[in-house]
Amino acid sequence: MSQARSVVHLTTLARWEAAQDAGVVDAPSRASEGFIHCAFADQVGGVIERHWRGAGEIMALTLDPQALAGRLRVERSAGSGQDYPHLYGELPLSAVLSARRMRTPEA
């Protein structure tokens, strides 16, 4: 994985707030698919357009790939044909470099 590309995880405000007490960011995909969906920074706009449109306010978390070493894998998405980073394991708050609140486009 190129170190020049920032890795981002998108989450709801509620999950971000819950993470402040839990120490880890929860994602439903970890239980259902076995990994936490992430994107490279240049893919975030497309991910929001396809999966978060109409969600209102969300959080964009920029992650430290070094803190997630060995658990972050770049894999091809069957839907888009693009390569995306997937996190196999927990997402600890200590791996979040920055958190930015964003408003998604209307549905």
Side-chain angles (χ1 to χ4, degrees):
M1 173 175 29
S2 169
Q3 292 183 344
R5 295 178 83 186
S6 295
V7 176
V8 178
H9 172 65
L10 301 174
T11 191
T12 64
L13 291 177
R15 286 193 192 98
W16 176 243
E17 290 167 2
Q20 304 312 300
D21 291 328
V24 296
V25 180
D26 180 39
S29 67
R30 185 165 176 232
S32 63
E33 299 177 63
F35 61 86
I36 296 174
H37 288 272
C38 298
F40 292 112
D42 60 322
Q43 296 171 317
V44 168
V47 171
I48 289 173
E49 185 65 32
R50 286 187 301 279
H51 302 290
W52 291 88
R53 181 175 269 286
E57 288 191 317
I58 62 172
M59 297 298 295
L61 311 178
T62 301
L63 309 180
D64 178 1
Q66 306 300 354
L68 303 169
R71 296 182 293 140
L72 197 59
R73 297 185 210 154
V74 176
E75 299 173 314
R76 177 82 24 131
S77 167
S80 71
Q82 294 184 42
D83 292 338
Y84 287 92
H86 293 151
L87 175 60
Y88 287 85
E90 289 187 333
L91 174 48
L93 283 181
S94 61
V96 178
L97 297 173
S98 66
R100 183 169 56 107
R101 187 177 276 204
M102 301 177 66
R103 178 161 289 286
T104 63
E106 296 297 320

